[in-house]
Amino acid sequence: MRGLLLTGARIWQGPGRDWASAAAIRDGRFLAVGTAAEARAALGNGAIFHDGLAGGFLIPGVFDAHMHPLFGAVFQEAGLALRDAGGGFLRDPAAVAAAVGAAAASGAQPAGDWLVGYGWDPALAVDPGFNRQLLDQAAPGRAVYVLSLDAHFALVSTPGLERLGTIAYPPDSGMIPVAGDGRPVGLLLETPQFIASLRVLEQMPHERKAQAFLAFQAQALAAGITGVTEIVADRAALGFYLRLHQERRLRLRLQVSPYGPLCQLGPERGAMLAKLAAAPDAAGWVGLGPVKFLLDGTPGNHNAAWFQPYADAASTAGMLTIAPDAMAAEVEKAVAAGYDLALHAAGDLSVHVALDAIAAAGPPARRREDAGAEGRRVRLRIEHFDNCTAGDLARLPGLAERGLVASVQPTHFHPVYVAAIQRVLGPERMRREYPLASLLRAGIPLALNSDWPAAMSFSPMDNLRAAVDHGTESLSPGEALAALTEGNAYAARLERELGTIAPGYRADAVLLDGNPLGPRTPHVVATMIDGAWVAGAPPRGTSPAGG
């Protein structure tokens, strides 16, 4: 097979390692990384193509292990963005109604299908005028479904509720508020929203979703993302991605995470495993991620669970969306059966409950599929890990051996969010938000990912900058880059295939125009997957070379 020789760039091999100057690729994998002479020698005398990278910097491709691509692509990008002229999220019922009415009149979304949108301020959920009748008047007869900016709440029109049908969900995991007449207000809070959102996506035509996802995919590849975990999903979402792969339109690597409450209500994970088993050609492109449970909401919607009340709402300290004993049972079940978990925990109480469940579980089991592999233990990820008490920080080192992984999104510290978070949390908790450096010092594997569209950006370079500019909890540039690349691969259980530029690893890489460890945030020049440039182009292109 023809080989590819990469020269002219500084190639990052990981923290504490020297930069390489060349790499050899064959059959979609790195064959050698080192000097130009070493890389050329590894390729031997066969046909060689040579990419001169003109002084750029090559890093591993970024597998974003926590994202909601269908929510972002369909509800926000291809749907109705509920923002004002200045880019702020809509905070007034009349403004939401006007935007929905304008979208319905424009015909931009198919008349017989869902009219969807994204971005209203979750504070609207307590406004009695923010209800299904508001949407019914704005878009008569339309099935309307609009998500809050944190994607934890939804408002649905009357025709939309009828189309959704009954929404079953585990007790105390969320709420469907009802009015005095016993009929739904139109709000879906926490778990009912996630179940309904997946149902809305399932009911949409395949091509509508495909076009939205393909637009996102092009942007993600251009940003240096080579794979993502769809962190809340069901068998229908998995089927969508498998069909895209069958149609040869899927260019990102995908993991699809079963939504935990659906697994509690039925055999969702088993059905998804069966779908994957029936599509062996998708191996390496579409796989199963960790089962996702949410222990609470978000600080912005006052549902993140804390030991102390909110600074701006003394009557509430948030809510747990799964009881501590139920969470402990789910962790024990995962450890015994050998599958990974991703546990959303934003407040210090929910983080405490997650840590308790991990501490109480039996010794980490090797996964069934890796029963003979040394050290392949179940991974118990805490997603967000926004805040942590001093007592819980002190016990973290002992939990690393139990499979604890921290999956954190520094871009949640975007200025749009910070002002609101400061108001609801107060100064003491604000100082403890996102303890990145403390997690690393405790020996906890750390992944930095985006949570888009709940975060403003999915750019890995934005995440890198946010992590190295985080006050006393800042990471060094090398630590942040490792968490973006190796850390995400580890969180996704793909560290033997992705996240590192080294012999035997898949040739997924990103070419930057500057040093990612320097003071200036670099730009992505080109993105490579399996040794092929899939976005952008190297500065001097590709040319044949003798070998």
Side-chain angles (χ1 to χ4, degrees):
M1 292 289 292
R2 184 179 67 196
L4 176 62
L5 177 66
L6 302 179
T7 63
R10 295 181 67 188
I11 301 174
W12 194 69
Q13 299 186 85
R17 306 184 191 111
D18 292 336
W19 292 80
S21 58
I25 297 171
R26 180 172 283 141
D27 297 332
R29 293 183 181 270
F30 289 108
L31 187 63
V33 182
T35 66
E38 291 168 338
R40 187 179 288 275
L43 289 169
N45 295 322
I48 299 173
F49 270 60
H50 176 204
D51 275 5
L53 303 184
F57 292 76
L58 198 71
I59 65 170
V62 175
F63 191 102
D64 189 318
H66 185 121
M67 192 189 276
H68 306 271
L70 278 179
F71 282 27
V74 174
F75 295 126
Q76 176 174 274
E77 299 300 303
L80 172 62
L82 296 170
R83 298 189 186 179
D84 59 27
F89 299 104
L90 296 188
R91 294 173 168 83
D92 178 64
V96 174
V100 169
S106 74
Q109 300 190 46
D113 198 8
W114 284 95
L115 192 162
V116 297
Y118 184 97
W120 53 269
D121 190 317
L124 285 174
V126 299
D127 189 318
F130 195 65
N131 52 37
R132 59 185 169 84
Q133 290 90 346
L134 183 80
L135 300 181
D136 295 345
Q137 293 165 10
R142 292 295 302 266
V144 182
Y145 190 91
V146 287
L147 281 170
S148 61
L149 66 89
D150 58 4
H152 279 241
F153 295 170
L155 183 66
V156 194
S157 68
T158 302
L161 290 172
E162 292 169 354
R163 185 175 293 194
L164 283 171
T166 301
I167 300 172
Y169 59 99
D172 301 321
S173 66
M175 187 183 302
I176 303 177
V178 296
D181 61 3
R183 300 183 65 192
V185 169
L187 286 166
L188 306 176
L189 310 180
E190 304 297 350
T191 300
Q193 174 278 128
F194 286 104
I195 292 173
S197 292
L198 294 172
R199 196 171 297 176
V200 169
L201 290 168
E202 181 180 9
Q203 292 176 359
M204 281 185 173
H206 172 76
E207 193 57 26
R208 181 180 179 188
K209 292 180 291 190
Q211 290 302 316
F213 177 81
L214 293 176
F216 154 77
Q217 178 176 251
Q219 295 172 346
L221 290 169
I225 292 173
T226 53
V228 300
T229 299
E230 177 78 80
I231 199 65
V232 171
D234 61 0
R235 68 187 81 179
L238 175 58
F240 167 75
Y241 288 123
L242 288 172
R243 181 172 170 182
L244 271 189
H245 178 265
Q246 185 180 34
E247 295 167 346
R248 299 181 182 275
R249 294 196 283 178
L250 186 63
R251 301 168 73 196
L252 285 167
R253 303 189 194 279
L254 252 298
Q255 271 191 348
V256 183
S257 282
Y259 184 38
L262 292 178
C263 297
Q264 290 176 301
L265 297 171
E268 195 68 23
R269 184 173 182 272
M272 294 170 78
L273 285 171
K275 274 185 174 290
L276 285 170
D281 60 316
W285 288 98
V286 183
L288 205 64
V291 175
K292 171 71 178 295
F293 283 95
L294 289 92
L295 280 79
D296 62 351
T298 68
N301 70 17
H302 290 85
N303 276 355
W306 302 89
F307 282 104
Q308 301 297 325
Y310 281 88
D312 67 338
S315 62
T316 181
M319 64 177 287
L320 290 171
T321 52
I322 184 170
D325 57 346
M327 187 72 268
E330 291 296 339
V331 172
E332 187 67 46
K333 184 193 305 182
V335 169
Y339 57 83
D340 298 343
L341 293 179
L343 309 178
H344 165 115
D348 57 9
L349 175 59
S350 60
V351 169
H352 178 81
V353 170
L355 294 175
D356 274 354
I358 292 169
R366 294 189 181 115
R367 289 164 57 105
R368 288 175 177 175
E369 57 265 41
D370 299 318
E374 182 66 27
R376 299 286 280 183
R377 294 172 173 172
V378 168
R379 290 176 193 170
L380 303 170
R381 293 166 44 174
I382 294 183
E383 307 297 312
H384 310 306
F385 226 129
D386 292 27
N387 218 289
C388 200
T389 66
D392 281 334
L393 280 175
R395 65 170 169 162
L396 290 182
L399 294 177
E401 285 299 310
R402 295 215 172 247
L404 176 61
V405 178
S407 174
V408 186
Q409 301 78 36
T411 47
H412 277 306
F413 251 54
H414 187 283
V416 168
Y417 298 116
V418 167
I421 295 172
Q422 286 175 329
R423 183 179 67 253
V424 302
L425 296 187
E428 180 187 349
R429 279 180 294 204
M430 195 66 184
R431 283 192 294 270
R432 304 201 314 253
E433 279 288 278
Y434 297 110
L436 304 177
S438 295
L439 289 167
L440 272 189
R441 285 195 298 269
I444 305 300
L446 176 64
L448 301 182
N449 35 64
S450 74
D451 195 26
W452 184 80
M456 297 289 290
S457 169
F458 53 64
S459 164
M461 292 301 101
D462 288 349
N463 245 330
L464 178 70
R465 183 51 50 200
V468 301
D469 189 20
H470 190 42
T472 58
E473 289 289 349
S474 295
L475 302 181
S476 72
E479 290 169 338
L481 187 56
L484 273 172
T485 54
E486 297 174 7
N488 268 312
Y490 184 85
R493 195 174 281 279
L494 295 171
E495 75 277 7
R496 295 184 179 183
E497 293 280 298
L498 306 174
T500 302
I501 296 178
Y505 282 77
R506 288 190 178 273
D508 293 5
V510 181
L511 181 65
L512 305 174
D513 68 355
N515 188 343
L517 307 185
R520 181 182 72 86
T521 302
H523 297 98
V524 173
V525 175
T527 302
M528 168 183 283
I529 295 181
D530 274 354
W533 298 106
V534 294
R540 298 213 307 260
T542 303
S543 58

